[in-house]
Amino acid sequence: MAQLFKPDMPAVLERTHLAGHADAFLLPVYEAGSNAIHSLLDIHGGAKIAAEGKLVFSFSLGTTPEEFTVTISDNGCGLDDSNYKAFLTPFTGHKLKRGGKGFGRFVAFKVFNDVLYRSKSKGPNGSIVTRNFKFDVYADEEIIDLIGGNGPEFDTGCAVTFKQIKPSYHKKWEELNAERILNHLSSNFLTYLVDGRMPDTRVFIGAEEFDLRSHFASVFSHEKTHEFPVELRDASYQFKCDVSRVARGKPFARHALMFFADNRLLGAGRAIENKLGKSAFQKSDGSEYVVIASLSGEFFDENANQARTSLEASDDEILEIVDKACQAILATESEQHDKIKKDQRDEVVQLIARHPLLRYGLNGITIADYVKSKPNNWRQENFVSDLAVQRLREERRWTSFVQTTIANKELFAQRKAQLLQRVSDTYRDALAEYIVHRKAVIEVADRLRGADDAGDMTREDAFHQLMFPRLTDSATTKYFQHNLWLLDERLAFVSYISSDRTLHGGRRQLGDKVTDVAFYDECYVAGGQGNTSVVIVEFKRPGRDDYSFGREGQDPVKQIHDTVEFIRERKSFVTSSGKTIDIPPSTPITAIIVADMEPTLRNLARRYDFDETWDKKGLFKYHEDFDVFIEILGFDKLISDAEKRNAAFFEILLNDMGN
């Protein structure tokens, strides 16, 4: 009769993949420790294992990877006849009741070359049976008995020793130290440590001895245990989530959610900072901590791969489980969660204050309720994108609503008040958006006034550029592309504006007079003659105090006189599109000099017999010989006047938007 052959274990191992992280390197140690705990549970049960069970991890780090050894020993029942038979059977069903795969002992050969076992167990007549052997899955005879040597340190139990690290894990050996080893052991046996079923566990690292349970208590602060169901594959699975806090630092630099199958770590854990909103939380004293949560359940036990390195489940299933676990974690960290939501609410309030039209993306709900429904890791760019999309959808819905309403007289009568209110709100928000822009421009203007002359432009040129783009005119620059309202609201609506261009529209020639900004306005009066006017503006460097009467380049009043003469002689402007604008001789011209009111400028104005404005912040004079009215305006007055003109909007409209 034909029989099945035993599995080709080297081939199985070849197809088994382990990752390159530290938990994969220590996986054989974890497996041996888990087997030891199972043995201790068989003897002492869950009630007595913490008091009577003994587990020892002995690490000798060595000076090279070849010198490294680790031994895991316990005072369990050892490899008695039943356990030894199961040990000799690949993929045994001996531990199926605990979810065991019968494969853990073979994983060691993915990391180590040498594996030794020493066992003491009670025989049928009470005598002690000793088994010492080398286990080599690649040898023709996998079990090689060893003569002599010391047995386990306890009366009964098992000790397994791993030696000779494979080259692919040499770099992980270099990273080993006492703190890393203790923290990794604590993480892997987290479920036992949290629920109190961890035996008395000593960890020897070189000459140092540590108590794992004491280390866990000093590092991990268990906060709460949650249990919740998740609907998966047309069935309801229960999950248990233990939430602990750990001081931020290596190797716990950020929050982590760890999966456990049959009380054994499944893979390397999952980063959940995006779900929680931050990579770490902060206490009131300024110190930081991270959340380390262990998640276990029947679904993990059933769907862990045979090497327990990953979960055999779809991405959607894992995402659903992680979402529910993070909800449980945030319930524990409610104070941190509330703080994140408050910060997000403040961000959205500021965002809508700057861009009021995004308010329609809220679809009528409060900002607090809106951010409550969004991920904790969302920042302003996420909210902008979402609100913009929601606003677009709302506008489409509103357009359809309006079209349906106005097409039906009865509906229009019913919805008239609603339509009018929406139109009013829309105009208000659009106005607020523009006022936000004005407020920002005023702040930039004030900053430019006090800035250093750094970069490609001087301060006066930068201020000029902010007011109206240089080397352009109103034929190519639209209303929303300049900020002439800073100077005077009326100037924004004149017929033609030229900025830093020649009057003839071509390249600058010898003798040309180029004004910083020139305005031309044409007004037709019904039944009468058309009136025209010209305004020219010159910007001087903020803080400048070297003005001198009659000196070229240092006398802005003389510069205005020369420019006015040039304009009256030429009698025209040429636009960027080639159109000629005639300037009749009778055209009144107003000139504005924007400059800080420093002593030399005031002295210069006195020489030209200027008068002071009522607030002492400006100067003015009509020069009859040149037929020009000149006003000297300080930067501080220009900015403060702009602020005053818009103050009502800033205080009322924007505050309303923020609320």
Side-chain angles (χ1 to χ4, degrees):
M1 186 187 326
Q3 292 183 331
L4 292 174
F5 294 99
K6 70 177 183 179
D8 183 352
M9 293 311 299
V12 173
L13 284 170
E14 186 67 26
R15 292 192 294 269
T16 301
H17 173 71
L18 287 191
H21 51 69
D23 283 313
F25 168 50
L26 293 174
L27 182 59
V29 178
Y30 303 155
E31 289 289 342
S34 294
N35 288 333
I37 292 174
H38 288 169
S39 177
L40 295 171
L41 285 170
D42 286 341
I43 293 180
H44 306 295
K48 295 182 179 180
I49 184 174
E52 300 179 9
K54 305 292 182 183
L55 178 59
V56 179
F57 294 88
S58 298
F59 290 86
S60 177
L61 301 183
T63 58
T64 66
E66 290 76 19
E67 295 177 358
F68 172 85
T69 64
V70 55
T71 297
I72 303 92
S73 55
D74 63 76
N75 67 339
C77 56
L79 291 173
D80 56 20
D81 289 345
S82 175
N83 288 336
Y84 187 56
K85 181 180 179 182
F87 181 90
L88 297 176
T89 306
F91 304 111
T92 176
H94 185 62
K95 290 187 179 181
L96 280 179
K97 62 182 179 181
R98 292 196 181 100
K101 309 293 184 181
F103 186 69
R105 60 193 177 283
F106 296 100
V107 172
F109 294 100
K110 298 292 290 185
V111 181
F112 300 99
N113 285 317
D114 285 356
V115 181
L116 307 177
Y117 281 84
R118 294 175 289 124
S119 167
K120 288 191 295 187
S121 60
K122 288 184 178 181
N125 56 3
S127 61
I128 298 299
V129 177
T130 301
R131 288 187 171 94
N132 297 332
F133 57 88
K134 178 179 180 179
F135 181 40
D136 186 356
V137 74
Y138 296 105
D140 292 337
E141 295 292 332
E142 293 93 340
I143 306 297
I144 303 171
D145 291 326
L146 301 177
I147 306 299
N150 297 322
E153 58 183 288
F154 304 108
D155 293 338
T156 61
C158 184
V160 55
T161 300
F162 301 120
K163 299 180 180 180
Q164 293 289 317
I165 301 172
K166 291 184 179 293
S168 58
Y169 286 99
H170 281 187
K171 286 189 177 296
K172 292 302 168 187
W173 167 82
E174 295 173 0
E175 297 173 4
L176 286 180
N177 57 44
E179 183 182 13
R180 283 179 178 273
I181 290 172
L182 291 168
N183 286 334
H184 280 294
L185 289 175
S186 297
S187 298
N188 182 77
F189 296 105
L190 193 60
T191 56
Y192 290 115
L193 288 162
V194 168
D195 66 17
R197 292 184 302 143
M198 192 70 187
D200 176 16
T201 305
R202 289 174 294 152
V203 181
F204 293 89
I205 303 173
E208 295 184 276
E209 179 180 355
F210 303 90
D211 181 284
L212 187 64
R213 294 188 300 194
S214 297
H215 174 77
F216 170 78
S218 68
V219 174
F220 289 78
S221 172
H222 179 247
E223 297 298 315
K224 194 168 184 179
T225 296
H226 299 269
E227 294 187 2
F228 52 85
V230 181
E231 299 296 323
L232 300 165
R233 303 176 186 177
D234 298 324
S236 180
Y237 289 88
Q238 282 293 125
F239 288 87
K240 176 186 173 187
C241 183
D242 292 305
V243 181
S244 299
R245 292 178 177 178
V246 180
R248 187 179 192 180
K250 295 181 179 180
F252 306 108
R254 49 180 49 85
H255 306 299
L257 175 64
M258 296 182 292
F259 294 170
F260 283 82
D262 309 307
N263 292 303
R264 303 186 190 189
L265 185 63
L266 186 60
R270 289 179 176 269
I272 51 174
E273 58 190 276
N274 284 342
K275 294 286 185 182
L276 302 191
K278 293 183 177 180
S279 57
F281 292 144
Q282 191 174 61
K283 297 181 180 178
S284 57
D285 62 3
S287 62
E288 291 186 312
Y289 69 92
V290 296
V291 171
I292 306 297
S294 64
L295 189 61
S296 57
E298 184 182 359
F299 184 82
F300 289 162
D301 299 342
E302 293 176 357
N303 294 282
N305 68 348
Q306 66 179 13
R308 283 190 200 84
T309 56
S310 64
L311 183 66
E312 294 178 345
S314 69
D315 291 341
D316 288 343
E317 289 172 333
I318 295 173
L319 181 62
E320 179 71 16
I321 296 168
V322 171
D323 281 346
K324 289 293 181 66
C326 287
Q327 290 173 18
I329 293 170
L330 289 172
T332 300
E333 298 292 340
S334 58
E335 183 178 342
Q336 297 288 346
H337 181 56
D338 291 344
K339 183 177 183 299
I340 289 171
K341 288 305 175 187
K342 179 184 179 302
D343 291 344
Q344 285 185 325
R345 180 191 176 278
D346 291 344
E347 285 186 345
V348 174
V349 167
Q350 295 170 13
L351 181 65
I352 291 177
R354 292 199 303 272
H355 307 284
L357 291 177
L358 290 177
R359 186 166 63 92
Y360 288 99
L362 295 173
N363 291 325
I365 66 173
T366 66
I367 294 176
D369 287 339
Y370 169 72
V371 299
K372 185 178 179 180
S373 67
K374 303 304 177 184
N376 277 12
N377 66 318
W378 270 28
R379 297 296 177 259
Q380 280 201 358
E381 57 268 24
N382 304 107
F383 289 119
V384 169
S385 176
D386 182 67
L387 287 171
V389 170
Q390 295 302 325
R391 177 196 166 198
L392 177 62
R393 292 172 179 168
E394 172 62 13
E395 286 180 346
R396 288 176 177 171
R397 187 200 68 79
W398 174 249
T399 300
S400 176
F401 178 86
V402 170
Q403 290 174 345
T404 303
T405 300
I406 62 179
N408 186 306
K409 290 184 178 181
E410 292 182 2
L411 276 179
F412 182 79
Q414 295 172 10
R415 298 173 176 177
K416 182 171 63 176
Q418 183 180 356
L419 289 173
L420 292 175
Q421 182 61 47
R422 174 60 181 264
V423 170
S424 175
D425 290 344
T426 301
Y427 279 128
R428 182 191 63 171
D429 292 343
L431 177 59
E433 188 109 3
Y434 181 59
I435 292 303
V436 168
H437 164 76
R438 285 198 168 196
K439 190 171 188 296
V441 169
I442 291 174
E443 291 171 354
V444 171
D446 194 37
R447 182 67 62 87
L448 284 175
R449 183 167 62 103
D452 295 329
D453 287 330
D456 297 332
M457 288 189 292
T458 61
R459 277 184 290 170
E460 61 265 38
D461 285 345
F463 204 94
H464 180 172
Q465 182 74 15
L466 177 67
M467 192 79 71
F468 196 100
R470 299 170 67 226
L471 306 174
T472 64
D473 65 2
S474 53
T476 57
T477 302
K478 305 304 179 186
Y479 173 78
F480 58 84
Q481 293 175 303
H482 63 72
N483 297 293
L484 290 171
W485 54 266
L486 270 172
L487 189 61
D488 191 314
E489 298 282 354
R490 294 166 297 179
L491 294 177
F493 302 99
V494 298
S495 305
Y496 176 71
I497 307 168
S498 176
S499 176
D500 214 13
R501 297 178 64 255
T502 62
L503 297 183
H504 52 74
R507 290 180 176 272
R508 191 165 185 168
Q509 301 170 0
L510 185 63
D512 275 345
K513 302 298 180 184
V514 178
T515 62
D516 284 344
V517 185
F519 302 86
Y520 169 80
D521 199 20
E522 186 174 39
C523 178
Y524 292 97
V525 180
Q529 184 179 0
N531 296 319
T532 61
S533 63
V534 169
V535 179
I536 59 176
V537 180
E538 290 292 340
F539 298 103
K540 300 303 174 186
R541 179 171 57 83
R544 180 176 174 178
D545 192 20
D546 64 346
Y547 301 104
S548 179
F549 180 78
R551 184 170 294 180
E552 194 73 29
Q554 293 179 289
D555 187 341
V557 178
K558 181 180 182 300
Q559 180 186 1
I560 292 295
H561 291 166
D562 294 344
T563 302
V564 169
E565 282 190 322
F566 189 77
I567 292 173
R568 294 203 183 281
E569 288 174 4
R570 179 167 176 80
K571 300 178 182 177
S572 66
F573 288 151
V574 178
T575 70
S576 60
S577 61
K579 178 183 177 182
T580 298
I581 298 176
D582 293 327
I583 303 175
S586 59
T587 301
I589 298 179
T590 301
I592 302 172
I593 300 171
V594 181
D596 282 336
M597 306 298 289
E598 301 293 350
T600 58
L601 182 59
R602 287 187 177 273
N603 289 336
L604 178 68
R606 190 177 301 115
R607 295 288 298 273
Y608 283 105
D609 198 26
F610 273 69
D611 294 317
E612 276 193 320
T613 57
W614 66 272
D615 58 4
K616 308 297 184 183
K617 292 183 179 181
L619 300 161
F620 64 92
K621 176 68 176 178
Y622 174 69
H623 291 251
E624 188 172 356
D625 289 345
F626 296 91
D627 192 16
V628 59
F629 179 85
I630 304 177
E631 181 180 2
I632 301 177
L633 182 67
F635 282 100
D636 57 345
K637 179 173 174 57
L638 182 148
I639 292 171
S640 65
D641 284 354
E643 287 178 334
K644 290 172 184 176
R645 291 196 304 271
N646 292 275
F649 290 114
F650 293 164
E651 292 178 10
I652 299 173
L653 192 57
L654 295 189
N655 286 341
D656 183 51
M657 288 297 100
N659 292 329

